[in-house]
Amino acid sequence: MKRPGPLLTLLAGLVLGLFLLTLNATTGTKTASSSYEEKSPSLAPTRGAASAAPTPVPSPSRVPAADADYAGRTDDDAAAIAVTVRDGKAIAYYCDGHTEESWLKGDVEDDGTLRLTGENGAKLDGTLEDGRRVDGTVTVGDGRHAFSADRAKKPSGLWKATATVRSAKIDGGWIVLKDGTQVGILTRDGKPSPAPRIDPETGAVTVDGQQLTARPATP
């Protein structure tokens, strides 16, 4: 019996190889020579979302100065002074009860600071102390006076009257202190003199035989 020749052996090997390739394609099985697998590229580690910038904490809102009236005297007892605060604005009156007076006005700062101004360079620099009193200095004319004015309760406080009496223009200002003392000046056509006493309950006052009504002064 003759052995298969080299040619037949080669053909048989080729047939077997084709068979195996066909089988792999059909079943999805990989031979050892084709077992290389591409590895999926590893994903870079995900960084956490950038932390949001911290929300700034708003500073506590300052409470506007409460509406109030203050009345007192200068430290040298030369004059009386009154301050009225309404809606963040202030009016003040300096009066020696004889011939010197000044009306001043301005805003109240959020920290309670008062910087009021009046005619002829008059000015008041003060501070509201917890709504209990006003401390500061007032400059009128050539004089600069330290003062302290405590919180006042009606009828104490600042009063004002304006009218025309017997063809004369009348302007009156009064400071009623907590002990009932009144300090005021009445001007007739610009000429100052001590003011007559008012009724602190009603504001009634008689000027040159005519009855007028003084009212609480406001900014």
Side-chain angles (χ1 to χ4, degrees):
M1 183 176 181
K2 293 182 180 180
R3 294 182 180 179
L7 184 56
L8 291 177
T9 302
L10 179 58
L11 290 174
L14 289 173
V15 171
L16 179 60
L18 290 172
F19 175 75
L20 291 175
L21 288 174
T22 303
L23 182 62
N24 288 342
T26 305
T27 62
T29 304
K30 294 184 178 178
T31 62
S33 62
S34 62
S35 62
Y36 173 80
E37 292 182 8
E38 281 191 20
K39 294 183 179 179
S40 299
S42 58
L43 298 176
T46 303
R47 292 185 180 178
S51 57
T55 302
V57 179
S59 58
S61 57
R62 292 175 177 175
V63 179
D67 294 351
D69 302 302
Y70 303 87
R73 298 191 66 88
T74 57
D75 291 356
D76 57 10
D77 205 33
I81 191 162
V83 179
T84 296
V85 175
R86 295 289 186 276
D87 298 326
K89 296 185 178 299
I91 187 172
Y93 181 53
Y94 168 93
C95 179
D96 69 358
H98 302 287
T99 59
E100 190 171 56
E101 66 176 355
S102 182
W103 291 92
L104 309 101
K105 62 182 179 179
D107 295 329
V108 182
E109 302 296 334
D110 288 342
D111 61 359
T113 299
L114 298 171
R115 291 187 176 87
L116 313 182
T117 58
E119 293 183 356
N120 302 317
K123 65 178 182 176
L124 181 151
D125 295 309
T127 304
L128 293 172
E129 301 292 345
D130 299 326
R132 295 180 291 109
R133 68 179 188 275
V134 178
D135 292 332
T137 60
V138 58
T139 301
V140 177
D142 297 328
R144 184 173 184 270
H145 312 270
F147 73 90
S148 181
D150 293 330
R151 188 160 183 167
K153 295 181 180 180
K154 298 298 183 189
S156 298
L158 180 55
W159 297 75
K160 187 175 185 179
T162 301
T164 299
V165 177
R166 296 180 182 178
S167 301
K169 182 181 179 182
I170 302 295
D171 288 299
W174 292 263
I175 298 171
V176 179
L177 301 172
K178 61 182 178 181
D179 63 358
T181 301
Q182 296 186 15
V183 181
I185 287 179
L186 190 77
T187 61
R188 294 176 178 84
D189 289 334
K191 296 180 180 180
S193 62
R197 185 178 179 85
I198 66 171
D199 181 342
E201 296 298 331
T202 64
V205 57
T206 301
V207 177
D208 297 340
Q210 183 172 326
Q211 184 169 312
L212 306 178
T213 300
R215 303 187 185 280
T218 58

